[in-house]
């Protein structure tokens, strides 16, 4: 099975427990206003690689995984955009005793139940709590996200939840309280993190000739994030 990947990070420390081999998959159907990796959107871009070849690269770091409690994280883009390749790669990882995580927005092409069979941890990026807000931020309907989260809850896999906080969009107390209620609906939540909006990816939009829709919005301060975290 051949997949398309954007890049690899060999010693990741934020994408799951321990030291991680992070694979950034190509392809994403969402067009989030604050996305800092627009170069991962196109499913037909990136580098082609066989699942076995990708595993071989990862196994070079197996000693680090064992010492730190780490493993493999499939990120993106969104790994759910390449379900068949993702399933084959995750299967190979589990056959070799590796801890697996997927870092996803929960918006892909189905096969969610099969994917989750070979996943130990789901790092879920929640874009918004209702369909209106979801459409405004991502340009898409929330229905597909709901399909994934239903399968996620049925699987009882461990979950880390992340939510980007954008000034004027998702930084008010009412929204954070609704987000808190949504989080309560998930099983086995180990960690909840509010991510401050930043502008580090703006230069990519300029290079790719894509209008950046949040021009003029200042970065979220860490102090404001700390205030909102008290509401969780």
């Amino acid at each position: 099975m051949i997949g398309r990947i954007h890049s690899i990070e060999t010693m990741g420390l934020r994408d799951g427990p321990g030291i991680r081999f992070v694979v950034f998959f190509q392809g994403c159907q969402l067009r989030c206003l604050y996305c800092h990796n627009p170069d991962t959107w196109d499913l037909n871009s990136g580098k082609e690689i066989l699942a076995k070849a990708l595993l071989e690269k990862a196994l070079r770091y197996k000693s680090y995984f064992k010492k730190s409690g780490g493993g493999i994280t499939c990120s993106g883009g969104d790994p759910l955009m390449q379900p068949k390749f993702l399933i084959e790669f995750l299967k190979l990882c589990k056959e070799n005793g590796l801890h697996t995580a997927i870092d996803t927005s929960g918006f892909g092409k189905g096969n969610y139940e099969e994917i989750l069979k070979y996943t130990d941890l789901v790092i879920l990026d929640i874009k918004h709590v209702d369909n209106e807000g979801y459409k405004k931020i991502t340009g898409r309907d929330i229905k597909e996200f709901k399909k994934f989260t239903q399968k996620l809850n049925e699987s009882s896999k461990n979950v880390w939840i992340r939510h980007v906080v954008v000034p004027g969009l998702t930084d008010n107390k009412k929204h954070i309280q609704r987000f808190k209620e949504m989080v309560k609906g998930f099983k086995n939540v180990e960690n909840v993190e509010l991510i401050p909006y930043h502008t580090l990816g703006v230069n990519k939009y300029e290079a790719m000739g894509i209008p950046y829709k949040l021009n003029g919005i200042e970065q979220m301060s860490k102090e404001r994030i700390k205030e909102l975290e008290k509401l969780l």
Side-chain angles (χ1 to χ4, degrees):
M1 179 64 65
I2 296 176
R4 288 183 174 271
I5 63 171
H6 174 269
S7 55
I8 293 171
E9 184 180 353
T10 56
M11 301 289 277
L13 297 173
R14 283 185 45 82
D15 303 283
I19 294 173
R20 314 295 297 181
F21 181 89
V22 187
V23 184
F24 295 92
F25 281 55
Q26 197 70 34
C28 185
Q29 296 186 71
L30 304 183
R31 294 295 180 264
C32 298
L33 298 176
Y34 49 75
C35 178
H36 58 278
N37 287 318
D39 45 335
T40 65
W41 289 349
D42 186 0
L43 184 57
N44 298 311
S45 296
K47 305 169 187 175
E48 289 189 343
I49 191 168
L50 290 167
K52 287 184 179 180
L54 187 56
L55 174 72
E56 289 171 2
K57 290 178 180 289
L59 288 176
R60 299 172 190 169
Y61 303 89
K62 193 170 183 179
S63 62
Y64 292 98
F65 305 153
K66 284 186 175 181
K67 291 177 182 177
S68 67
I72 310 297
T73 298
C74 297
S75 186
D78 201 306
L80 299 183
M81 285 294 291
Q82 300 183 58
K84 292 182 179 179
F85 177 72
L86 176 61
I87 289 167
E88 182 173 342
F89 179 58
L90 291 174
K91 276 185 179 180
L92 291 171
C93 289
K94 296 313 299 175
E95 287 170 5
N96 285 270
L98 302 178
H99 179 276
T100 57
I102 57 171
D103 184 352
T104 177
S105 297
F107 202 108
K109 292 185 172 183
N111 286 337
Y112 302 140
E113 188 173 353
E114 186 72 8
I115 290 168
L116 291 166
K117 283 182 184 178
Y118 309 101
T119 303
D120 297 309
L121 170 68
V122 174
I123 303 171
L124 183 64
D125 183 2
I126 296 178
K127 302 300 183 180
H128 206 280
V129 298
D130 59 44
N131 194 45
E132 183 181 352
Y134 195 90
K135 278 186 175 180
K136 185 173 183 179
I137 287 176
T138 71
R140 301 301 295 265
D141 193 282
I142 202 171
K143 288 181 182 178
E144 191 65 31
F145 171 78
K146 294 287 189 179
K147 289 179 184 178
F148 175 77
T149 56
Q150 180 181 343
K151 293 299 182 183
L152 175 57
N153 272 333
E154 290 172 2
S155 75
S156 296
K157 298 295 181 177
N158 293 331
V159 182
W160 289 10
I161 290 177
R162 292 174 174 172
H163 182 55
V164 176
V165 182
V166 184
L169 285 178
T170 54
D171 66 332
N172 61 80
K173 291 183 178 180
K174 182 179 179 181
H175 172 81
I176 296 300
Q177 288 167 348
R178 291 181 68 197
F179 169 71
K180 180 181 178 180
E181 289 303 309
M182 177 183 257
V183 170
K184 287 180 180 179
F186 289 90
K187 298 177 181 178
N188 301 326
V189 175
E190 297 182 328
N191 185 47
V192 180
E193 183 179 8
L194 298 180
I195 307 292
Y197 164 74
H198 62 74
T199 58
L200 297 178
V202 174
N203 61 323
K204 291 184 181 180
Y205 286 80
E206 295 172 353
M208 295 174 68
I210 302 172
Y212 187 68
K213 296 180 180 179
L214 291 183
N215 268 332
I217 302 295
E218 295 186 1
Q219 297 189 123
M220 175 65 66
S221 70
K222 292 181 180 179
E223 291 73 22
R224 178 58 175 158
I225 287 291
K226 289 179 180 178
E227 289 177 11
L228 296 174
E229 285 175 340
K230 294 177 182 178
L231 300 175
L232 296 177

